Amino acid sequence: MHLLSFHATQVSGKSLMAAEKPKKSKVELIKEASVGLRGKIVEELADATTDHVEDATTKLLKFHGTYQQDDRDLRKSRRKEGLGKAYSFMVRNRIPGGKMTAAQFLGELDIADELGNGTIRITTRQSIQLHGVVKDNLWGVIHRINEIKLSTQSACGDVTRNVCCCPAPLRQNKLRDQLQQLADQIAVHVRPTTGAYHEIWIKDLETGHREQVAGSPTEAEPDPIYGNAYLPRKFKIALALCEDNCVDIYDNDLGLLGVTEGDQLIGFNVLTGGGMGTTPSKKNCFPALSKRLTFVTPDQVLPIITAVIMVQRDFGNRADRSQARLKYTIHNMGLPAFKKKVEEYLSEAESICGMPTGLLPRPLPEPHPADVTGHDDHMGWHEQGDGKWFLGLPIENGRVKDDGDLRLKSAFRVLFENHVTNCRLTAQQNILLCDIEPSQREVINQALADHGVMTMEQISNARRFSFACPALPTCGLAVTESERVLPSVIDDIETELNDLDLADEQFSIRMTGCPNGCARPYNSDVGLVGRSMDGKTGEGRYTVFLGGNLRGNQMASVYKDQVPRSEIAATLRPVFLHFKEHRQPGESFGDFCDRIGVQALGTPS
Ligand code: SF4
């Protein structure tokens, strides 16, 4: 029997350390008992007497790409009326590299209109989320997403999430196509092998959910990479090129940074252990940028990824979820010991990938000196290099909807039905409309103007490089607003920047409704992290972080804590002034803040 056909904590002698740990979190027990992520999902979906599912099923549904949520705006009034929570589901797609056809985008709009809340949201991992899906519609939504040849499998949960990759369709050379093809290969390779997803969401269920249960396996199919308990926590992978870190590669559990010689991709620096989430009240929690582990050639990518995932599977913390991300495994082991452990797993990894043992050198080499040097958000019109064009269109906080004069959703219907065949979603929650004939450019510009959609040239840099997580009312973890208030905060910041003649500066402003960091605030130039809510006014208070940058390879530091939303711009003004007066030539705002240090900021001389 293959070593990996056992449960993760029984996988092999190497797993001894994990097997000796008796204590497991509740989620671990749910995963183990789930029979390949099936649990009671089918029964609970079929139960017409309730509008929600139980906690264990909520946990398992994440692996299928959906979170149970409730409308927090309605909690109080419903409680007064003696009603329970207003439950609905968020459904997240898995779209490697954010690559979609026009038909798929239109399909998502249709599903949102017919079975969701009528909006879609482009996520920070190049995917699409639908919100407001009631339980009765959940099966229909996921089934229909599969009908348009997309999937939600492992878009959430303790597995490898959507694989991110620079989405620009630049064909002046082969580099981005190579990256995107590799992202597709990785996505297939790390997809869980359980048949549960297909059974529950894709099979024709005319016979009813309960009969599906009767035919379901009673023992889980062992997953060659994940075992039967999957990973201790989520696992994120991204691919980028040094001069264009548009996917924030250092924020991922595993980053592949392409190293090139001329137009040739010679390999990747493997970065491990990035992650933004933290719990401020716990001293042992922290956000982290990934660490440079080794260098691999393109044909060695799948086995190195597999080995890193298996080490995390076997040595990640399964007792305390706040300590379960790979960054903590590496922190506790130390990078040299972690690297040695990865080397020990290489033979199994090579075997799983169907590659010859010894394909990767042992010991693993040092990383190549190449590192991130730039960032490109790909907004505006660009020649693709194949006679066609693409248009990068900023979408405020990724939300696609019709709202007053801004009829973004209607604009996309016109464009995708008539003028655009393909698109790609960016990790800044924007969209690239791709493969456009030169003759269509003016028509597209006009269609956007007719629907009140502003292009890159018509919005400020502050707005262009900002984004927020959803937070209230849907996220159960939110302590403050985020998506709903960031536009007004940007209004205020724009006023200050205009006043100081700094409007041309390019720097990132990212807001989250809690310290979990879904919008990657901890390495942005200005990070605004929700900390508390004023009980009387309902105004949120935020921790202001300064000192990251658009390149994404520098951590920000706390500048001020508990800043009321209405005072954020005024709090930043003295720092902007300091920047204006003391910056070095060409220095970005975040680099300036990092060089000066947060202690010295805010007191311009
Ligand atoms: Fe929710 Fe916090 Fe993530 Fe925002 S950062 S989506 S509030 S968990």
Side-chain angles (χ1 to χ4, degrees):
M1 183 184 294
H2 193 279
L3 283 177
L4 293 167
S5 59
F6 288 95
H7 180 276
T9 55
Q10 305 169 325
V11 172
S12 68
K14 299 187 198 77
S15 319
L16 203 56
M17 189 196 288
E20 284 169 353
K21 291 177 187 166
K23 195 181 161 206
K24 290 177 186 165
S25 71
K26 189 174 146 197
V27 178
E28 289 302 318
L29 302 179
I30 292 169
K31 286 187 280 185
E32 285 179 16
S34 71
V35 191
L37 304 175
R38 292 173 179 84
K40 292 186 175 171
I41 292 174
V42 171
E43 291 106 310
E44 292 197 28
L45 286 185
D47 183 353
T49 65
T50 174
D51 60 359
H52 63 279
V53 297
E54 297 303 318
D55 184 54
T57 297
T58 305
K59 303 279 189 297
L60 293 178
L61 278 172
K62 292 181 183 178
F63 291 81
H64 297 255
T66 180
Y67 276 61
Q68 180 167 266
Q69 303 179 323
D70 74 288
D71 189 331
R72 294 178 59 183
D73 285 349
L74 300 178
R75 274 187 193 175
K76 229 182 225 170
S77 59
R78 286 177 69 92
R79 210 178 298 133
K80 272 186 193 157
E81 291 171 38
L83 299 169
K85 292 176 177 175
Y87 287 104
S88 67
F89 290 81
M90 178 277 284
V91 179
R92 186 181 293 159
N93 289 252
R94 192 194 61 215
I95 309 173
K99 204 163 34 172
M100 299 176 76
T101 65
Q104 287 171 330
F105 200 96
L106 288 168
E108 295 280 347
L109 289 179
D110 289 342
I111 297 167
D113 279 346
E114 293 164 35
L115 301 172
N117 70 357
T119 76
I120 64 174
R121 195 170 196 278
I122 299 171
T123 74
T124 54
R125 291 196 70 75
Q126 299 180 279
S127 182
I128 280 180
Q129 281 180 191
L130 308 178
H131 288 267
V133 176
V134 296
K135 183 176 157 236
D136 279 355
N137 290 336
L138 185 59
W139 184 84
V141 166
I142 296 181
H143 189 79
R144 280 180 60 177
I145 285 172
N146 281 275
E147 282 181 337
I148 58 172
K149 301 207 169 4
L150 290 173
S151 176
T152 64
Q153 187 186 18
S154 65
C156 324
D158 299 340
V159 277
T160 306
R161 304 276 185 95
N162 196 41
V163 178
C164 286
C165 175
C166 172
L170 292 168
R171 306 216 168 88
Q172 284 83 359
N173 56 47
K174 292 182 182 160
L175 290 174
R176 282 184 174 74
D177 278 349
Q178 283 178 301
L179 232 56
Q180 286 152 6
Q181 284 162 14
L182 196 50
D184 289 342
Q185 270 179 36
I186 294 167
V188 170
H189 180 66
V190 298
R191 192 168 57 197
T193 56
T194 172
Y197 186 83
H198 190 269
E199 284 163 26
I200 296 171
W201 310 105
I202 303 178
K203 270 188 185 176
D204 188 341
L205 295 190
E206 277 175 10
T207 49
H209 295 108
R210 288 179 189 281
E211 289 188 27
Q212 284 294 315
V213 175
S216 293
T218 51
E219 276 185 39
E221 318 90 312
D223 189 297
I225 297 178
Y226 298 115
N228 286 349
Y230 299 87
L231 296 179
R233 281 288 263 128
K234 60 187 165 190
F235 194 91
K236 298 178 177 179
I237 296 177
L239 298 87
L241 294 172
C242 293
E243 68 276 16
D244 178 11
N245 184 22
C246 63
V247 294
D248 252 337
I249 197 162
Y250 273 97
D251 289 4
N252 287 264
D253 294 271
L254 194 151
L256 294 166
L257 184 62
V259 179
T260 56
E261 281 178 3
D263 287 352
Q264 300 301 312
L265 180 68
I266 61 165
F268 294 91
N269 275 336
V270 180
L271 318 173
T272 50
M276 291 286 102
T278 186
T279 309
S281 58
K282 291 191 175 181
K283 283 212 172 82
N284 57 354
C285 287
F286 49 83
L289 298 180
S290 55
K291 295 178 171 50
R292 295 157 64 85
L293 186 76
T294 186
F295 173 83
V296 296
T297 55
D299 60 324
Q300 296 168 342
V301 162
L302 290 186
I304 192 76
I305 286 176
T306 307
V308 170
I309 291 175
M310 291 194 301
V311 172
Q312 165 64 355
R313 176 199 65 193
D314 289 353
F315 294 92
N317 189 327
R318 289 184 184 263
D320 178 356
R321 288 181 66 78
S322 77
Q323 289 291 297
R325 288 288 294 274
L326 178 64
K327 61 183 173 182
Y328 299 115
T329 311
I330 293 176
H331 178 77
N332 294 334
M333 260 187 197
L335 190 64
F338 175 74
K339 190 170 179 178
K340 267 200 166 335
K341 195 55 75 181
V342 171
E343 288 163 0
E344 287 175 26
Y345 276 70
L346 286 177
S347 297
E348 283 184 41
E350 287 162 341
S351 159
I352 286 172
C353 298
M355 292 177 174
T357 304
L359 177 75
L360 279 127
R362 287 79 153 165
L364 288 164
E366 289 301 302
H368 188 281
D371 201 354
V372 166
T373 56
H375 166 276
D376 186 345
D377 65 349
H378 308 297
M379 293 296 95
W381 282 105
H382 302 270
E383 281 189 273
Q384 293 185 172
D386 57 0
K388 296 184 179 175
W389 290 71
F390 77 88
L391 172 62
L393 201 60
I395 299 181
E396 193 156 30
N397 299 318
R399 184 70 70 175
V400 177
K401 62 181 178 181
D402 282 355
D403 187 10
D405 293 338
L406 172 56
R407 292 177 297 124
L408 189 55
K409 191 167 70 168
S410 300
F412 280 135
R413 284 204 177 277
V414 170
L415 294 178
F416 286 126
E417 281 167 6
N418 302 291
H419 310 293
V420 181
T421 52
N422 292 300
C423 70
R424 296 184 181 185
L425 312 174
T426 81
Q428 290 80 36
Q429 301 183 295
N430 298 322
I431 193 166
L432 312 184
L433 306 176
C434 304
D435 304 322
I436 295 167
E437 297 292 345
S439 62
Q440 296 294 294
R441 286 184 57 188
E442 276 320 302
V443 187
I444 289 169
N445 283 338
Q446 190 58 52
L448 292 169
D450 290 346
H451 290 84
V453 179
M454 289 201 270
T455 57
M456 176 194 78
E457 296 79 9
Q458 296 163 307
I459 62 168
S460 69
N461 277 337
R463 204 169 298 275
R464 170 179 168 187
F465 293 104
S466 72
F467 58 85
C469 74
L472 296 169
T474 50
C475 177
L477 299 174
V479 290
T480 65
E481 295 282 356
S482 182
E483 178 185 344
R484 295 194 292 198
V485 301
L486 185 61
S488 67
V489 171
I490 297 293
D491 289 344
D492 297 344
I493 291 175
E494 281 173 346
T495 303
E496 300 296 349
L497 291 172
N498 286 334
D499 191 46
L500 294 168
D501 204 19
L502 289 172
D504 289 342
E505 294 303 316
Q506 297 194 349
F507 59 89
S508 51
I509 304 169
R510 300 178 190 159
M511 178 180 268
T512 60
C514 86
N516 275 321
C518 295
R520 308 193 294 269
Y522 303 115
N523 62 343
S524 64
D525 294 73
V526 179
L528 305 169
V529 176
R531 287 284 275 135
S532 63
M533 185 91 91
D534 185 307
K536 281 188 186 147
T537 64
E539 184 179 36
R541 297 193 198 94
Y542 298 80
T543 309
V544 178
F545 287 79
L546 299 176
N549 58 35
L550 280 169
R551 296 187 308 281
N553 59 355
Q554 195 167 279
M555 287 299 279
S557 305
V558 175
Y559 172 60
K560 275 194 179 153
D561 199 12
Q562 302 282 4
V563 177
R565 179 188 58 73
S566 56
E567 294 174 23
I568 288 172
T571 300
L572 290 171
R573 182 182 169 92
V575 192
F576 290 148
L577 188 57
H578 199 162
F579 168 63
K580 181 178 172 168
E581 292 177 349
H582 298 283
R583 70 186 297 189
Q584 292 177 348
E587 192 174 36
S588 72
F589 180 64
D591 286 346
F592 167 81
C593 294
D594 183 65
R595 179 172 61 81
I596 297 294
V598 285
Q599 307 298 333
L601 288 171
T603 51
S605 56

